[in-house]
Each structure stands twice: as C-alpha cells, then as structure tokens.
Amino acid sequence: MSEIIIRLATLEDRAFVRSVSERTWPSTYGHIISQAQIDFMLDWMYSDTSLAEQFEKGHSFYIATLNGSDIGFCSVSAEEGQSYKLNKLYVLPIAQGTGSGKALLKKAIEVAKSENATSLFLQVNKHNNAYTFYLKNGFVKEQEFKFDIGNGFYMDDYVMRLRF
C-alpha cells in the first residue's frame, strides 16, 4: 500500500518546487501554450526570488511524499474576505493517479477551514485536464477570464470555488 505524507515546506524547498514545475509544465501545458510562454511563466512564478516573495507574503507550501519520495506540492494563501486561494497544485507525471493530488487538495481545504475560511478558490487554464479533477472534487466554475501577464502572453482561465 502506498503511503502519502503531506508536510509543510520551507524556503529551503524552493529548488524542489521549481523542479516539479519544470517537470510537469511541458506535459500539462505543452499542447495549450507555447514553450516561450511556459519558460516566461516558470521564471515569473518559480524563480528563487519569486518563491521567496510568495513565502514572505504568507503563501503556505505543502509537499507530498509518496513512499519516501517527494512527488508534488501545493500552495495556499489567505485572500480577501473569508476566502483562501489554491495558488498551485502539481504532481510529477510519474506519480499522477496515486491519490497524491487529492491528498494535496485535501490539505489545502483543511488549511482554509482551520482559518475559518468559507471557501477555497483557484484559477485553472480552460484547457487543463485538472479542470475535471476540480469539478469531481466539488469545485464550481464561477467565471472565465483572460489575464494579460506581459510579454504578449495571456492566462486564459476559469475561476473555480469550493464553498464550505
């Protein structure tokens, strides 16, 4: 039986977080956005400086360990009102389908509820297969938007929310 353990990440885990992102984004987004946009976004969101800023702003990162190997992470943060945001959730392709993603999502929900949040929301690319994962886990699509992130690139996302 597989054992999934979720632990709180520290700033020293930045290299692992970036590594997971670099290894998951090509298969997740390669058919949706260009390699140039992938490279731009990885640098924008996962550089050492960017990750340090996220930790400093109060984003909590959690790492999933499966049978002793770190295989994924998520990030959550308090937002306006009584909402929390699931900023990121990625599991290495070799560990997808093991329940690790669901365990990370469960942790994000647990964190939000422990802070008396009334909902957890997220953004997901309209063409990302994760959209179905979130629907199956009770999230509802609230809106669609196209967000200019610079350099001629856009994020074309759904905003989804789970209310508690």
Side-chain angles (χ1 to χ4, degrees), residues 23-76:
R23 292 186 281 166
T24 58
W25 277 50
S27 61
T28 302
Y29 299 111
H31 65 289
I32 301 170
I33 59 176
S34 69
Q35 186 62 49
Q37 183 167 346
I38 289 172
D39 294 342
F40 174 81
M41 292 180 72
L42 284 172
D43 187 55
W44 172 44
M45 291 190 268
Y46 296 99
S47 68
D48 281 349
T49 301
S50 177
L51 287 168
E53 287 172 359
Q54 292 170 55
F55 273 92
E56 191 176 298
K57 289 179 181 175
H59 292 215
S60 296
F61 285 76
Y62 295 89
I63 293 178
T65 303
L66 176 64
N67 299 327
S69 296
D70 292 342
I71 49 83
F73 73 93
C74 72
S75 163
V76 294

